[in-house]
Amino acid sequence: VSTQSRRERLRAEAFEEIKAITLRLLAEHGPGAISLRAIAREMGMTAGGLYGYYATRDDLITALIGELYTSLAERLEAALGSLPGGDLGERIVLWAEALRAWAIANPEGFQLIYGAPVAGYQPPPEGAAPEAERRMCAVLASLVAGAWPYVRESQPGAYDWADLDPRLAEQVRASTPDLPPTAVALALRIWGRVHGLLSLEINGHLGRQVRDPSRLYRTELHDLLRFLGLTPSQASA
Amino acid sequence: VSTQSRRERLRAEAFEEIKAITLRLLAEHGPGAISLRAIAREMGMTAGGLYGYYATRDDLITALIGELYTSLAERLEAALGSLPGGDLGERIVLWAEALRAWAIANPEGFQLIYGAPVAGYQPPPEGAAPEAERRMCAVLASLVAGAWPYVRESQPGAYDWADLDPRLAEQVRASTPDLPPTAVALALRIWGRVHGLLSLEINGHLGRQVRDPSRLYRTELHDLLRFLGLTPSQASA
DNA sequence: TGTACATCAGTGAACGCGCGTTCACTGATGTAC
DNA sequence: TGTACATCAGTGAACGCGCGTTCACTGATGTAC
C-alpha cells in the first residue's frame, strides 16, 4: 500500500522518464543533443510542459549530473562490495577496472562529469557534484590507507592538512583517522593516473596510437601496485 | 622585396586576423562562442564575407585545431631546445612543465585538442591532428629512450610492434631505432599520467580538492623520474 | 599618364533551423458534499 | 452513487535569439593598352 497518491506516482514516473530519456539522448547523440525541446519531443509532449518538472534547462542538467554521479558511485561501491575483505591489491584493481568499465559504458556521461560542461551551462554555486567528488576521493584514500605503511616515501617535503580542501580533509579523517595528508595527495595523484588514460581513451586519442587501450590500463595498474609496495602476485592471486 | 602582390598580402593578413580572433574568442568565451557570425562581428565584417576564406565552419575549426597543435609543439620544442644536451631527468621535467604551462595558458585550447569537440563539429577523416599527435608521442618516446635501460621491467609480457599504430611505430623507429615497443607503451602511459592531472586541473576538479595543483604535478614528476631509474638529485641538480 | 576593363573582397538581405522561455488555455483527474 | 468544484498536467502558439549558408550586388583594387 503506497502512501503516494496516483498523481504523485505518475509525476514521479514522469521524472524518471525525463532522466532516462536525457541519459539516452546524451549517450546516443552527445551533450549537444540535450535540449528541453529534444527531450519533450522524445517524450511525446510539448517543450513548455517540461517546465512543470524543472524550472530551467540548467536545473535539468544539474539533476542529470547528479544522476550520473550516483550511477558511478553505485558502480564503484558494488565493485568493492563484491570483495569486502579481499586482498588490497585486488581491491584497488577492482576499483580501477570498475571506474573504467563505467567510463567506457557511459563515455558521454564521463565527459559531462569530468570534461568541459555543456555549452552555456552554469552550475549551481555549491551543488551536489563537488560533494560527490569529495566522497569518491575519500573512498580512494581509504584504499590507499592499507598500502600506505609500505609506500617508500620519496617526495621532497610532506603535505599538510592545510594543503587540502577542508571538507575533503574532514571526510578523510572521519573515514580513515590515521592517514596523513601526504597519503591523500598520493590518492589524488593515483586518481590522476587512471583518469589520464581513461580521458585519452574516451576522447579517442589512445585508440589511435595503441591497439588495445585496456591492456595499457592494466599495465599501468600493475605498475601502480608495485609502486604501492604491493607485489604483483598479491594482486593476481 | 616581396613576391606577394598587395592583394595576396592583405588576404594573408586577413587569414591571420581570423585565426587570432578565433583563438581570442575561444580563450575568452569558450568553445561555444566560436561561430562564423561572432568572428565576423569581431572583425567588423559580415558573416557571409568569411566564406571567401573558409568554405565552411568546420574548415575553420579544423584550421584552428591545427594552429593549436602547432603552438603546443613549438612550445615543447622550445623548452627542450633550451637544454639540448642536458641531464635526462631535467629534460623530462622541462617537457612536462612546458606542457603544463601551455595547458594552463590555453585551457580552452587544451580542451579543444584533448577534450570533447565543439558541438556538431565533424573532423576531416585524416587531418593534420592525428599526425601532430603521433609526432608528439614520438618526441616523448625519444625522451624515454635515454632512461629505458635503467627502467626495471615489471609488466607481465612485453608489447609488440603490432600492438602499436603502424605510423607511430614507423615514426619511433625512425627517430629512436633501438627503442622496443614496450618502451613506447611506457611513453604512452607517461603521457597518461601527466595528462590526467592536467585534465583534472583544467576542468576544475583538482583545484577543489587541493590548494596547489602545480605542486601535486611536481610531486608526480618526481615519482616518475624515480620510476624511470633517474635519481631525484639528477633531476634537481 | 590616362582610360577601359577584369578581378574579387566584402555587403546586406534573406532562407530555414533549433533553441529557451512565457502564457492563456483546455481537459482530465481528484475531492467534497 | 451522483453532482459541483478545485487542482493541475500538459497544449499550442508565440516571443526573440543566434546560428550556418546562399546569393545577387557594389565598389574598390589591379591590369592592359
Side-chain angles (χ1 to χ4, degrees):
Chain A
V1 186
S2 166
T3 169
Q4 283 184 328
S5 74
R6 183 171 140 76
R7 261 196 184 143
E8 281 170 328
R9 188 163 35 80
L10 285 176
R11 189 174 162 79
E13 276 170 13
F15 263 109
E16 287 307 310
E17 197 188 348
I18 292 173
K19 283 191 279 190
I21 282 178
T22 311
L23 285 172
R24 188 161 57 76
L25 280 175
L26 176 67
E28 285 177 4
H29 303 104
I34 299 182
S35 72
L36 292 180
R37 294 193 110 103
I39 294 165
R41 217 178 295 128
E42 210 74 7
M43 288 188 71
M45 69 187 275
T46 287
L50 281 176
Y51 283 82
Y53 297 90
Y54 295 99
T56 222
R57 185 197 72 139
D58 282 13
D59 284 2
L60 193 156
I61 293 183
T62 299
L64 175 65
I65 291 178
E67 194 77 358
L68 285 167
Y69 265 116
T70 304
S71 147
L72 172 56
E74 277 171 3
R75 178 82 173 241
L76 295 180
E77 279 162 22
L80 288 180
S82 75
L83 200 76
D87 173 87
L88 184 60
E90 269 182 290
R91 281 170 65 79
I92 290 178
V93 169
L94 225 50
W95 176 88
E97 291 287 6
L99 179 59
R100 178 167 184 277
W102 185 88
I104 300 293
N106 308 277
E108 302 288 354
F110 182 85
Q111 306 252 52
L112 203 57
I113 288 183
Y114 291 114
V118 176
Y121 170 65
Q122 205 71 16
E126 178 65 7
E131 202 276 332
E133 204 150 72
R134 279 193 297 273
R135 219 180 66 207
M136 284 178 44
C137 284
V139 168
L140 179 55
S142 75
L143 278 179
V144 170
W148 182 243
Y150 308 105
V151 175
R152 287 164 304 165
E153 267 264 38
S154 82
Q155 43 237 9
Y159 284 76
D160 204 81
W161 285 116
D163 291 325
L164 301 176
D165 174 80
R167 281 157 304 187
L168 174 62
E170 188 188 345
Q171 215 151 353
V172 168
R173 275 194 272 202
S175 63
T176 329
D178 292 336
L179 205 63
T182 310
V184 182
L186 173 59
L188 288 172
R189 283 158 50 209
I190 292 175
W191 183 28
R193 290 195 194 182
V194 294
H195 177 79
L197 285 178
L198 279 181
S199 167
L200 287 174
E201 178 176 3
I202 297 277
N203 287 298
H205 299 282
L206 260 194
R208 277 208 284 255
Q209 320 290 353
V210 89
R211 218 186 45 194
D212 181 7
S214 78
R215 188 180 166 199
L216 212 60
Y217 193 73
R218 271 179 277 125
T219 305
E220 184 70 1
L221 291 182
H222 185 92
D223 275 353
L224 172 62
L225 293 195
R226 241 190 11 138
F227 174 68
L228 289 179
L230 305 169
T231 68
S233 67
Q234 243 181 308
S236 60
Chain B
V1 185
S2 167
T3 169
Q4 282 185 328
S5 73
R6 185 171 140 72
R7 260 195 186 142
E8 281 170 328
R9 186 162 36 80
L10 285 176
R11 190 174 162 80
E13 276 170 15
F15 262 108
E16 287 307 311
E17 196 188 349
I18 292 173
K19 284 191 279 191
I21 283 179
T22 311
L23 286 173
R24 186 160 58 75
L25 281 175
L26 176 67
E28 285 176 5
H29 304 104
I34 298 183
S35 74
L36 291 180
R37 294 193 109 102
I39 294 164
R41 217 179 295 126
E42 210 74 7
M43 288 187 71
M45 68 187 274
T46 288
L50 281 176
Y51 283 83
Y53 297 90
Y54 295 99
T56 223
R57 185 197 72 139
D58 282 12
D59 284 2
L60 193 155
I61 294 182
T62 300
L64 176 66
I65 292 178
E67 195 79 356
L68 285 167
Y69 264 117
T70 303
S71 147
L72 172 55
E74 278 171 3
R75 177 83 172 240
L76 295 180
E77 280 163 20
L80 287 179
S82 75
L83 200 76
D87 174 86
L88 185 60
E90 270 182 289
R91 281 171 66 78
I92 291 178
V93 169
L94 225 51
W95 176 87
E97 291 287 7
L99 179 59
R100 179 168 183 277
W102 185 87
I104 300 294
N106 308 277
E108 303 287 356
F110 182 85
Q111 306 251 53
L112 201 58
I113 287 184
Y114 291 115
V118 176
Y121 170 65
Q122 204 70 16
E126 177 66 9
E131 202 277 329
E133 203 150 72
R134 278 193 298 273
R135 220 180 65 206
M136 283 178 47
C137 284
V139 168
L140 179 56
S142 75
L143 278 179
V144 169
W148 182 242
Y150 308 103
V151 175
R152 287 164 304 165
E153 265 266 39
S154 83
Q155 43 238 9
Y159 283 76
D160 205 81
W161 285 116
D163 291 325
L164 301 175
D165 174 80
R167 282 156 305 186
L168 173 61
E170 190 187 344
Q171 215 151 354
V172 168
R173 274 194 274 201
S175 63
T176 329
D178 292 336
L179 204 65
T182 310
V184 182
L186 173 59
L188 288 170
R189 284 157 51 209
I190 292 175
W191 183 28
R193 290 194 193 181
V194 293
H195 177 79
L197 285 178
L198 279 181
S199 167
L200 288 174
E201 178 176 3
I202 296 279
N203 288 298
H205 298 281
L206 260 195
R208 277 208 284 256
Q209 320 291 353
V210 89
R211 217 186 45 194
D212 181 8
S214 78
R215 187 178 168 201
L216 211 61
Y217 193 73
R218 269 178 278 124
T219 305
E220 184 70 2
L221 290 183
H222 185 92
D223 274 354
L224 172 62
L225 292 196
R226 241 187 13 135
F227 174 69
L228 289 178
L230 305 169
T231 68
S233 66
Q234 243 181 307
S236 59

